[in-house]
């Protein structure tokens, strides 16, 4: 039985409370099939839900005429449907080189900075992205290869901050079927076939091999793994926050003091969550506390030697200074 994508779209929204009637939603549309289908699904319900869907398109200036063609396509799509359209552009190649990061990372940073700028300036409630179940599976496999922990294996969240991903439940095949049924036109990104990118090697080589030789439903299986890991991560976050508050002895805007005896009494997995809450309290990015950072930091020798409080503080405490 084929999936009714429109019905599943609304059920997924209801399950995760992604958007509500009357809200202003900025939809990121690249011109590819996922974002075009996402826009179409929103357009089908905009009157009934009293939504104000608006499109944002970012030109990375990486594919010359092809990228300009994407921009023209999206602009015409918006004009046809009588919806507002914002376009941004940046030399991602130069930006990435200056920051010494990959083109993929540079493109993501530039794109998301543009989306957030538009959303904040025009007071949008959400930014809708077109990630699908295959993207989720690819992300989880990428994190497995990298050796991620529980949070990494949770994959892409249906919502985070201002971002929502209302198509995360649907496979690429289901999205393609919907596009064919609705006779939707879309653009093909030639770089999606370039296997010099790890993501494309996972998409075009690894997942097909796993589906062929081990599990034909590998995408759905990986998504189920992500959902299970999300539940585990949510549990540990709750336990970690409670443990952090029990260990906390002092905090201000530059220093956190923890009771080292209480801290060491917790399992290592909770110690990591405790330190993540320390970083959050210090307004730092908790993601810097990866395996390579955490393991040496929490080695007993380091904890008892490097991180015992200095003499001016109460003995038997664990001090985290801002950095």
């Amino acid at each position: 039985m084929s999936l009714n994508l429109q019905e599943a779209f609304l059920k997924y929204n209801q399950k995760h409370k992604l958007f509500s009637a009357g809200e202003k939603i900025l939809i990121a549309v690249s011109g590819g099939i996922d974002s075009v289908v996402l826009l179409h699904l929103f357009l089908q319900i905009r009157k009934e839900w009293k939504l104000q869907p608006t499109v944002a398109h970012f030109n990375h200036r990486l594919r010359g005429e092809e990228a300009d063609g994407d921009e023209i396509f999206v602009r015409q799509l918006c004009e046809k449907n009588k919806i507002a359209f914002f376009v941004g552009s940046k030399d991602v190649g130069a930006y990435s080189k200056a920051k010494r990061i990959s083109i993929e990372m540079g493109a993501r940073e530039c794109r998301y900075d543009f989306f957030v700028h538009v959303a904040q300036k025009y007071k949008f409630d959400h930014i809708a992205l077109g990630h699908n179940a295959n993207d989720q599976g690819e992300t989880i496999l990428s994190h497995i290869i990298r050796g991620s922990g529980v949070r990494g294996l949770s994959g892409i969240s249906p919502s985070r901050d201002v971002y929502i991903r209302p198509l995360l439940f649907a496979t690429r095949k289901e999205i393609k079927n919907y596009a064919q049924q609705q006779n939707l036109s879309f653009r093909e990104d030639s770089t999606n076939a370039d296997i010099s990118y790890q993501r494309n090697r996972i998409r075009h080589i690894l997942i097909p091999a796993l589906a062929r030789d081990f599990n034909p439903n590998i995408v759905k299986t990986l998504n189920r793994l992500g959902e299970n890991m999300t539940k585990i991560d949510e549990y540990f976050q709750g336990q970690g926050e409670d443990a952090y508050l029990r260990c906390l002895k002092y905090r201000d805007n530059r220093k956190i003091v923890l009771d080292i005896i209480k801290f060491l009494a917790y399992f290592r997995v909770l110690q990591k969550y405790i330190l993540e809450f320390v970083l959050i309290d210090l307004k730092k990015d908790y993601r810097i506390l990866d395996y390579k950072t955490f393991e040496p930091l929490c080695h007993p020798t380091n904890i008892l030697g490097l991180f015992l409080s200095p003499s001016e503080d109460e003995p038997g405490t664990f001090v985290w200074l801002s950095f």
Side-chain angles (χ1 to χ4, degrees):
M1 183 177 178
S2 61
L3 177 73
N4 182 324
L5 200 69
Q6 185 74 61
E7 184 178 312
F9 171 74
L10 293 174
K11 285 184 177 178
Y12 191 74
N13 170 62
Q14 183 179 28
K15 177 181 178 182
H16 294 284
K17 298 179 174 60
L18 302 179
F19 59 88
S20 302
E23 291 186 317
K24 289 180 65 177
I25 300 176
L26 185 66
I27 306 168
V29 179
S30 65
I33 187 170
D34 300 328
S35 60
V36 167
V37 165
L38 179 62
L39 174 61
H40 189 269
L41 289 168
F42 272 116
L43 291 176
Q44 301 311 297
I45 64 170
R46 64 173 164 177
K47 289 184 179 179
E48 180 184 353
W49 283 64
K50 297 180 175 59
L51 297 174
Q52 300 180 50
T54 303
V55 164
H57 175 83
F58 189 80
N59 187 336
H60 301 88
R61 290 159 59 182
L62 291 171
R63 294 178 291 118
E65 292 183 2
E66 184 180 337
D68 294 337
D70 293 345
E71 182 180 326
I72 293 169
F73 171 82
V74 176
R75 186 183 297 276
Q76 292 174 342
L77 182 63
C78 293
E79 290 172 351
K80 176 183 176 182
N81 289 283
K82 299 178 180 178
I83 55 178
F85 170 72
F86 294 97
V87 62
S89 177
K90 194 162 189 173
D91 187 339
V92 170
Y95 173 87
S96 303
K97 185 176 181 180
K99 292 198 69 175
R100 297 182 179 180
I101 57 178
S102 69
I103 290 290
E104 292 170 287
M105 182 62 71
R108 185 182 187 280
E109 288 185 4
C110 292
R111 181 171 65 249
Y112 280 48
D113 285 348
F114 168 66
F115 294 154
V116 169
H117 170 74
V118 173
Q120 291 177 344
K121 184 175 180 179
Y122 297 97
K123 295 179 170 54
F124 283 93
D125 297 294
H126 307 289
I127 301 171
L129 305 174
H131 295 103
N132 60 46
N134 287 70
D135 294 321
Q136 179 74 294
E138 292 159 13
T139 297
I140 292 172
L141 272 178
S142 175
H143 289 174
I144 290 172
I145 291 168
R146 200 171 64 212
S148 295
V150 171
R151 184 164 292 149
L153 297 183
S154 299
I156 307 168
S157 173
S159 65
R160 179 166 294 167
D161 301 324
V162 72
Y163 296 104
I164 59 172
R165 298 174 175 87
L167 269 185
L168 202 55
F169 69 92
T171 65
R172 199 164 283 130
K173 182 178 180 181
E174 290 164 344
I175 291 170
K176 184 177 180 181
N177 288 342
Y178 180 86
Q180 291 175 340
Q181 291 165 6
Q182 301 295 326
N183 196 30
L184 301 179
S185 299
F186 54 88
R187 300 275 293 178
E188 295 280 2
D189 184 342
S190 61
T191 63
N192 287 338
D194 184 355
I195 59 172
S196 66
Y197 296 108
Q198 185 194 67
R199 167 75 68 164
N200 288 341
R201 292 197 297 277
I202 292 172
R203 176 177 300 177
H204 298 299
I205 300 173
L206 182 55
I207 285 184
L210 291 172
R212 181 185 64 246
D213 299 333
F214 297 95
N215 181 354
N217 297 313
I218 187 63
V219 170
K220 293 287 188 182
T221 299
L222 288 167
N223 275 257
R224 189 164 62 248
L225 170 64
E227 290 174 3
N228 290 336
M229 287 299 173
T230 296
K231 294 173 184 175
I232 293 171
D233 181 51
E234 289 172 351
Y235 171 77
F236 278 131
Q237 283 189 53
Q239 294 296 306
E241 183 174 20
D242 182 64
Y244 167 56
L245 294 175
R246 290 175 183 275
C247 292
L248 182 63
K249 299 194 74 170
Y250 173 83
R251 66 180 165 193
D252 58 29
N253 60 5
R254 62 171 296 274
K255 182 170 69 175
I256 301 286
V257 179
L258 302 181
D259 185 307
I260 194 170
I261 303 302
K262 291 181 180 179
F263 177 81
L264 291 174
Y266 286 104
F267 288 110
R268 290 290 286 276
V269 65
L270 278 179
Q271 289 176 3
K272 185 172 188 293
Y273 279 88
I274 291 169
L275 296 185
E276 286 180 357
F277 279 105
V278 168
L279 287 169
I280 292 169
D281 251 7
L282 291 171
K283 295 181 172 52
K284 304 294 181 182
D285 187 349
Y286 69 84
R287 290 172 295 185
I288 65 173
L289 195 66
D290 58 14
Y291 180 83
K292 289 181 180 179
T293 305
F294 173 71
E295 285 302 315
L297 176 65
C298 283
H299 190 278
T301 303
N302 290 335
I303 286 290
L304 295 176
L306 297 176
F307 294 99
L308 280 174
S309 65
S311 58
E312 63 266 23
D313 285 308
E314 194 177 335
T317 57
F318 172 59
V319 180
W320 187 289
L321 298 176
S322 62
F323 51 91

